[in-house]
Amino acid sequence: MNIRTAWEGHGRIALVTLPLLTLAALAAIVILMNFRADQDEANRRIRIADQQIAISHVISEAALEIAAGDGVDDTIRNSLVMLDRDHYGLRYGNAALGVSGEHSATAERAFAAVEPVYDELRSVADRLAAGDESAAPAVVDATGAFRGSMAGLRSLLVDDASKRSATLLRVEVVMLLLAFLTTVIVFILAPEVKRRREEHRKLSRPSRPDHLTGLIRRDPLAERLQYAIARSAKLDEYASVLVVDVDGLTEINQRFGHAAGDRLLQELATRFKEVVRASDTVARLEDDRFAILIEGNHRAEDSGRVAEKLMAALELPTAAGAHELHPSVSIGIAVAPLDGTHPDDLLENAEVAMVSAKQLGGDTYQYYSPELKALTRGRLEMLDGLRRALSSDKQLRLAFQPKVDLRSGKVTGAEALIRWSHPEQGEILPGEFIPFAEETEVILGLGEWVIERACRQVAQWDTIGLDQLQVSVNVSARQFRNGDLAEVVAKAVADAGIEASRIQVELTEGALVDDIDRARETLAELQELGVTVAIDDFGTGYSSLSYLKRFPIDALKIDRSFVQELSPNSNEAAISTAIIALAHSLDLEVVAEGVEQAHQLAMLEELGCDTVQGFLFAKALPPADLEAFVGMASSPNAAAPRLGGRYVPSY
């Protein structure tokens, strides 16, 4: 049979077979390239392991130098940063390092053996980096143990790379023999295979767990939730998300300390995992909030029973060090597909239901409903309006309430207060929108706006000779805890071209004691800039002498609730006397706010208060009106409140 006859006899088969064989060859090339990429990644893992061993040598040598008396420098800290990057990159994957975090079962067991050794090294090295030179010998021992563990892991990685190389050679032969079959599979099934493989990879890949509870975080939960929603739709089942918020965790942290709060969260995570099935998922969304994914429910109301079990698990008290706590939770439930078919929608709706449960007083659970969302729509609209106001730069403005020095009778400063003129609703009071903003990151943008505008206003006043005014700005606890307050103030001051001492930051006591170490660091940064710090509403919170001595504070503001009730022999007078005496003993300025009556002013002057502000002198004024007020204060005015033989004009 010649070629022509063969073609005529099998033409149709050839027309189909030749393209398929071509595709098979192309597929073989692609697959081989993937195998080569895997082998390259295996080699990169070995290099990273070598890098970790080398870094541990650097840490060990630095520890020996510290033990010899050279003192602690940045070597340990910088080396730990690189060691963390390489270790977690090798373990969990890092695109910058070129590794995916997927390992063989043998390597996974080796990693599990290395983890406690690495944790011990990090523990003692952190002590040494923090200045505890007595930890140096322990660091040397820990680095030796770590190198030994890493050497064993490296050996397994080398074996794995060798096996991959041998597998690659075999695949090159096998793929050529199975080209036709591979082409058919790729052509028909590739999209579905790729989708399933991606789903499996997302669900099974390692992700760095929450450092405190060991639970997964929001992103891995969303991936599992996506899979659960798709699976429940196919099986005609329900998948539920329970968002669990710990009632009063902030108060627990403030009263008993963050260590007690952390132990409570760890205990709750343990109890939640004991309540749910092994197939369900417990995650930590944020500080005081958990989420639980329940799959395979045959009825939507089954998730309510889970919520009841979670609440019942908290009936026994929780030991947090020396304290016995009786926590409660607020739970919101959203059920797929009834309440959403996308992970973000389902989580958002569960959080809406949780907020409703918390508004009912907590220690209960609520199912999501569209009616609940309608109740929160006003809050969301206000937050959206605030975001638009920040971007439009036309609705927000600052007003300034003057501060009067009782010794000189002069206006020495002003408190900057934000005002919002909504294009449709008109003037919205700060008390209506600030609490909502403080629950979200909107307060960060709002705080930055106030600081930046206050600095610009100070610069404008300097040009007309009002260079004696210091402007104070209120900083929310959330903005203070964010960690970049000093950077925000420094930029605003530099952009405005003013001295940092012209700005005073007002903080509540709760913002300081919420995280003492971070508070001390931030206050030190502000002090270095030259910014002064005042404690607002003093006397209504902790009023602890210990933190006044530990933190760089310049002024205390007596809360208006004490000022308004001032009268001879009253409790408020006794408290105000004590606050003023305490502040002066610590060389702090005392500011009384809310002064509205002449007798309040007279008593404050008698008690030795330094500075006052309130409606007796002026409300919060636009910048131009404040300029006029300062001008009036420079000349006597018989109609104004008398102040120790001097006159201060009322406005």
Side-chain angles (χ1 to χ4, degrees):
M1 181 183 295
N2 55 32
I3 295 177
R4 180 182 178 87
T5 304
W7 175 254
E8 291 175 349
H10 305 284
R12 293 191 178 185
I13 296 178
L15 287 172
V16 175
T17 303
L18 289 177
L20 291 179
L21 289 176
T22 302
L23 291 175
L26 293 174
I29 293 173
V30 171
I31 293 174
L32 290 175
M33 290 176 64
N34 287 335
F35 270 94
R36 289 189 182 278
D38 289 343
Q39 186 177 11
D40 291 340
E41 182 176 334
N43 292 332
R44 283 194 291 271
R45 292 193 186 104
I46 296 171
R47 288 196 294 272
I48 295 172
D50 290 337
Q51 177 72 8
Q52 290 188 69
I53 293 173
I55 294 172
S56 72
H57 275 293
V58 174
I59 295 174
S60 179
E61 292 172 359
L64 290 173
E65 292 176 358
I66 294 170
D70 288 349
V72 179
D73 57 20
D74 291 335
T75 302
I76 296 291
R77 188 177 293 106
N78 294 337
S79 298
L80 288 175
V81 171
M82 292 188 292
L83 191 66
D84 271 345
R85 180 201 63 189
D86 289 346
H87 180 77
Y88 288 110
L90 182 60
R91 180 69 178 89
Y92 299 109
N94 186 312
L97 297 176
V99 291
S100 64
E102 297 179 353
H103 306 285
S104 65
T106 303
E108 286 288 350
R109 289 193 292 270
F111 273 114
V114 170
E115 285 299 319
V117 181
Y118 177 78
D119 290 342
E120 175 64 21
L121 169 58
R122 286 295 280 111
S123 176
V124 296
D126 282 339
R127 288 171 45 203
L128 185 57
D132 183 2
E133 297 184 7
S134 65
V139 171
V140 175
D141 293 340
T143 53
F146 177 70
R147 284 193 294 274
S149 298
M150 284 303 301
L153 175 60
R154 183 188 184 281
S155 177
L156 289 175
L157 294 176
V158 170
D159 290 343
D160 187 47
S162 299
K163 292 177 181 177
R164 287 176 181 271
S165 179
T167 301
L168 178 62
L169 292 175
R170 290 193 295 269
V171 168
E172 290 176 342
V173 176
V174 172
M175 287 304 300
L176 292 175
L177 296 176
L178 299 177
F180 177 76
L181 180 59
T182 302
T183 302
V184 174
I185 294 174
V186 169
F187 183 76
I188 298 175
L189 301 178
E192 180 66 14
V193 169
K194 182 179 180 181
R195 184 185 67 79
R196 290 180 177 273
R197 181 181 178 185
E198 180 65 17
E199 287 181 353
H200 177 74
R201 184 185 67 81
K202 287 182 177 180
L203 292 173
S204 62
R205 69 182 179 186
S207 60
R208 190 168 184 178
D210 174 52
H211 71 283
L212 182 64
T213 62
L215 301 175
I216 65 170
R217 300 306 299 261
R218 181 181 288 270
D219 287 345
L221 173 67
E223 293 171 356
R224 297 190 184 189
L225 182 53
Q226 179 68 66
Y227 178 79
I229 292 172
R231 183 175 181 275
S232 63
K234 290 182 179 180
L235 300 179
D236 195 23
E237 296 176 341
Y238 296 100
S240 303
V241 175
L242 285 67
V243 171
V244 184
D245 188 271
V246 183
D247 298 329
L249 182 62
T250 300
E251 289 73 15
I252 292 173
N253 286 334
Q254 292 173 348
R255 183 177 179 184
F256 302 111
H258 276 268
D262 289 347
R263 285 192 289 272
L264 172 61
L265 291 173
Q266 291 170 336
E267 177 64 21
L268 292 182
T270 300
R271 294 192 186 185
F272 292 162
K273 287 190 292 185
E274 291 173 350
V275 168
V276 301
R277 301 165 301 184
S279 58
D280 299 327
T281 300
V282 181
R284 187 183 181 198
L285 295 181
E286 50 189 80
D287 292 345
D288 56 355
R289 195 163 297 176
F290 297 86
I292 300 174
L293 168 59
I294 307 296
E295 298 185 57
N297 290 339
H298 297 291
R299 297 177 300 176
E301 57 268 26
D302 289 345
S303 50
R305 295 193 181 90
V306 177
E308 292 170 355
K309 291 180 180 179
L310 294 174
M311 295 167 62
L314 303 183
E315 292 178 355
L316 293 177
T318 301
H323 310 293
E324 187 177 89
L325 306 178
H326 295 78
S328 64
V329 293
S330 300
I331 303 175
I333 304 172
V335 181
L338 302 178
D339 302 325
T341 56
H342 189 278
D344 291 343
D345 294 337
L346 214 58
L347 282 169
E348 179 184 344
N349 291 339
E351 289 181 343
V352 167
M354 181 275 298
V355 171
S356 175
K358 189 168 285 290
Q359 290 173 345
L360 292 174
D363 196 20
T364 187
Y365 68 90
Q366 286 281 295
Y367 280 96
Y368 167 80
S369 68
E371 291 76 19
L372 288 180
K373 198 162 191 175
L375 291 175
T376 62
R377 187 172 299 149
R379 172 179 177 270
L380 296 175
E381 289 177 353
M382 181 168 288
L383 291 175
D384 289 340
L386 270 177
R387 294 187 181 97
R388 289 192 296 271
L390 284 170
S391 61
S392 70
D393 200 30
K394 294 181 179 179
Q395 302 177 31
L396 301 177
R397 68 185 191 280
L398 288 183
F400 298 87
Q401 185 171 48
K403 298 180 180 180
V404 178
D405 182 88
L406 288 182
R407 290 180 295 273
S408 66
K410 295 182 178 180
V411 178
T412 57
E415 179 180 357
L417 300 169
I418 193 167
R419 296 291 184 262
W420 183 13
S421 298
H422 194 280
E424 298 174 357
Q425 302 178 31
E427 291 293 322
I428 302 179
L429 298 176
E432 297 179 25
F433 65 86
I434 293 295
F436 290 144
E438 287 180 338
E439 295 177 4
T440 69
E441 292 188 355
V442 172
I443 194 65
L444 302 180
L446 210 59
E448 290 185 19
W449 186 92
V450 170
I451 292 170
E452 186 266 337
R453 289 309 175 92
C455 290
R456 283 167 53 178
Q457 186 59 60
V458 168
Q460 292 179 16
W461 281 334
D462 284 350
T463 63
I464 60 173
L466 296 182
D467 53 1
Q468 81 279 13
L469 295 181
Q470 183 188 57
V471 173
S472 60
V473 294
N474 292 281
V475 173
S476 71
R478 190 183 189 106
Q479 185 177 16
F480 185 72
R481 291 194 300 264
N482 196 49
D484 64 347
L485 178 61
E487 181 181 346
V488 169
V489 175
K491 182 180 184 304
V493 166
D495 290 345
I498 64 173
E499 295 292 331
S501 59
R502 302 288 301 287
I503 298 298
Q504 182 175 80
V505 168
E506 293 189 7
L507 301 164
T508 62
E509 299 172 74
L512 291 179
V513 300
D514 195 38
D515 189 336
I516 290 178
D517 292 335
R518 177 176 290 183
R520 187 185 298 112
E521 180 181 346
T522 301
L523 291 178
E525 292 172 349
L526 292 172
Q527 185 183 48
E528 186 177 351
L529 285 175
V531 175
T532 61
V533 176
I535 303 303
D536 197 11
D537 301 335
F538 187 79
T540 61
Y542 304 89
S543 307
S544 170
L545 178 62
S546 62
Y547 83 74
L548 290 178
K549 294 169 62 178
R550 295 170 65 182
F551 295 144
I553 297 168
D554 302 283
L556 299 181
K557 296 191 70 175
I558 301 177
D559 184 65
R560 66 178 62 249
S561 62
F562 296 115
V563 174
Q564 290 174 352
E565 300 297 328
L566 271 179
S567 62
N569 302 320
S570 65
N571 290 334
E572 287 74 18
I575 294 173
S576 299
T577 300
I579 292 175
I580 293 171
L582 169 64
H584 286 168
S585 69
L586 296 173
D587 197 25
L588 303 178
E589 179 190 6
V590 181
V591 181
E593 56 184 351
V595 180
E596 299 178 359
Q597 304 294 329
H599 76 274
Q600 298 168 351
L601 176 63
M603 285 200 66
L604 289 168
E605 186 178 23
E606 181 181 347
L607 294 175
C609 184
D610 302 307
T611 306
V612 291
Q613 66 182 96
F615 287 177
L616 182 62
F617 305 102
K619 61 181 180 180
L621 304 172
D625 290 350
L626 181 69
E627 296 163 12
F629 178 86
V630 174
M632 293 173 62
S634 63
S635 61
N637 183 346
R642 182 174 293 275
L643 176 60
R646 300 176 300 281
Y647 289 94
V648 175
S650 179
Y651 197 88

